Amino acid sequence: MRVLNEYFARAGEVTAANAWEHVYKCLLWMNLGAGLAHIYDSNHMQPSGVFHSRAVRFTELLCDHWRITRKELPQRIDLLFKGCVDEWKRRREDNAESALDEETESELISAIGTMLRGEGIEDIRAAALARNIEGLSRDFFTIGNKRKNALGEGFEDLLWLLLRSVSCVPEHKLQLRTPVSSMPGFRKFPAPQPGERRKREPHPDVGIVDGNITHVIATAKWSMRQDRETQFQSEYNSFQTNKTQSTELEYVLITNEFDLARLKNVANAMPGGEGGYIFHRIYHISLPLLRETHAERFKEIEPWVGTGKLRSLDYFLTDMRGRFGEA
């Protein structure tokens, strides 16, 4: 949250219309192997991948919009993760206990050096390369695995900040990762019976409440996976089972998914039928870029745009301001 606040302090005017740009600057990252903005699974981003041409198209569109070259793009995006990595490295340096064990480090560098010398690289050069490779490996297996955590919570925190600053929703109306039993309009989760494991209680990503009513639960998922659809069903069933308010609960999804098939699955889902859940609305970070990236193929999900079920992030922020904002 501190990294995001520092970003917005120097970001200039943030509006519903340009919010998508700030989301991409903070959260979008590069697929280094493909040299493209990461909008698909890595195996699909490579030149032989089925979605490579669309990833190229998206990257070109984004660069054109910002009037930059593809070479300049990495410096413009991924700002949240870069800030978190800087903080993580600082804390690691301050905390001797978190450093890699010196004996393990020495053994790894020695093993790499032996392999390099076996390939004919001279001793001094092999020693320097071995230390560099060890450092890169350590960062990959520690920092690299932290991205999903920074992206998940960072996306939620960013939406919370946009609802505060752009939609002018007061803080007391916003819930961030709050247990559903602590939100208005829901019953308390029952204590487990003796010998029974406590059931996992959903913690909605972002909730909008007013008095004794929860009006909106927003699930923020940067991309879709099959296991996430299972999560959607479980959470939806929990919300409906434990809801005590008679007022309608609006369940919405905010995503940057670029796979049209996955978006169609979510849009088609209905309680009691396909999927076993329903999102009343789906908000894409940039629906115009999604449409331009897919060109003719976009007609597969155009009906959902026509009915208003699939909209862009700017509509969500504008709608929430009109309904819950206190400018």
Side-chain angles (χ1 to χ4, degrees):
M1 191 68 86
R2 179 178 60 75
V3 173
L4 288 172
N5 278 317
E6 289 175 355
Y7 166 80
F8 281 111
R10 59 180 185 272
E13 184 182 12
V14 182
T15 66
N18 69 18
W20 69 272
E21 298 186 59
H22 297 285
V23 173
Y24 281 160
K25 287 177 181 179
C26 289
L27 302 182
L28 186 66
W29 71 99
M30 294 294 292
N31 183 299
L32 297 180
L36 301 169
H38 189 108
I39 58 168
Y40 293 114
D41 298 337
S42 293
N43 59 316
H44 292 157
M45 294 280 289
Q46 307 310 314
S48 59
V50 294
F51 299 139
H52 178 262
S53 62
R54 293 167 209 154
V56 171
R57 176 66 174 153
F58 171 84
T59 303
E60 291 175 343
L61 288 166
L62 187 60
C63 288
D64 288 346
H65 180 83
W66 285 341
R67 298 180 181 178
I68 60 174
T69 65
R70 191 187 297 184
K71 187 177 180 180
E72 296 173 296
L73 184 59
Q75 286 72 49
R76 291 289 196 96
I77 60 176
D78 207 17
L79 301 180
L80 174 64
F81 188 63
K82 290 172 184 174
C84 289
V85 167
D86 288 343
E87 176 70 11
W88 181 79
K89 285 183 174 179
R90 183 190 65 78
R91 293 185 184 183
R92 186 178 66 178
E93 291 170 358
D94 292 344
N95 184 1
E97 293 181 1
S98 66
L100 187 70
D101 178 79
E102 290 185 5
E103 184 177 349
T104 302
E105 179 183 23
S106 176
E107 289 179 356
L108 182 57
I109 291 173
S110 176
I112 296 171
T114 299
M115 292 175 64
L116 294 174
R117 286 189 292 273
E119 294 297 318
I121 298 175
E122 61 182 23
D123 286 354
I124 295 177
R125 180 65 174 155
L129 283 172
R131 183 164 291 279
N132 287 337
I133 292 171
E134 185 279 329
L136 289 171
S137 300
R138 181 183 344 127
D139 282 353
F140 177 81
F141 288 110
T142 53
I143 294 173
N145 287 333
K146 295 179 185 294
R147 176 180 290 282
K148 61 182 180 181
N149 296 328
L151 179 66
E153 290 198 7
F155 193 12
E156 298 157 13
D157 292 344
L158 180 52
L159 288 172
W160 188 93
L161 287 169
L162 290 173
L163 286 166
R164 288 284 292 116
S165 61
V166 176
S167 302
C168 299
V169 180
E171 190 169 340
H172 71 269
K173 290 185 179 180
L174 291 173
Q175 307 273 305
L176 181 65
R177 294 186 290 273
T178 303
V180 70
S181 64
S182 298
M183 298 175 69
F186 290 93
R187 65 170 54 90
K188 301 298 180 184
F189 260 53
Q193 298 296 318
E196 180 185 26
R197 290 185 61 185
R198 188 176 188 86
K199 293 181 180 179
R200 184 185 179 279
E201 180 179 357
H203 289 54
D205 296 338
V206 180
I208 300 180
V209 305
D210 193 1
N212 296 321
I213 297 172
T214 295
H215 289 281
V216 179
I217 284 180
T219 295
K221 294 292 179 286
W222 190 254
S223 61
M224 300 293 114
R225 299 192 305 262
Q226 189 171 6
D227 63 317
R228 286 188 172 152
E229 290 205 55
T230 303
Q231 178 188 344
F232 296 156
Q233 179 179 0
S234 173
E235 290 184 348
Y236 179 82
N237 290 337
S238 178
F239 298 152
Q240 296 303 314
T241 300
N242 295 287
K243 183 168 73 76
T244 58
Q245 66 188 37
S246 57
T247 306
E248 177 73 17
L249 171 66
E250 190 174 346
Y251 189 39
V252 305
L253 170 67
I254 303 172
T255 184
N256 191 56
E257 179 59 64
F258 266 78
D259 186 332
L260 297 187
R262 293 177 179 178
L263 284 173
K264 284 170 64 178
N265 286 343
V266 175
N268 278 318
M270 293 291 291
E274 186 175 357
Y277 63 90
I278 185 172
F279 283 112
H280 299 93
R281 282 205 175 92
I282 302 165
Y283 299 97
H284 197 275
I285 300 303
S286 180
L287 196 59
L289 277 180
L290 181 70
R291 178 184 275 111
E292 290 185 70
T293 296
H294 286 278
E296 283 297 310
R297 290 191 70 252
F298 189 81
K299 64 185 180 183
E300 296 178 23
I301 60 171
E302 191 73 65
W304 300 115
V305 180
T307 63
K309 185 166 186 176
L310 177 60
R311 295 183 180 271
S312 213
L313 175 64
D314 63 319
Y315 185 93
F316 173 72
L317 295 173
T318 301
D319 186 34
M320 296 303 104
R321 177 168 186 157
R323 292 167 61 185
F324 308 106
E326 295 181 7

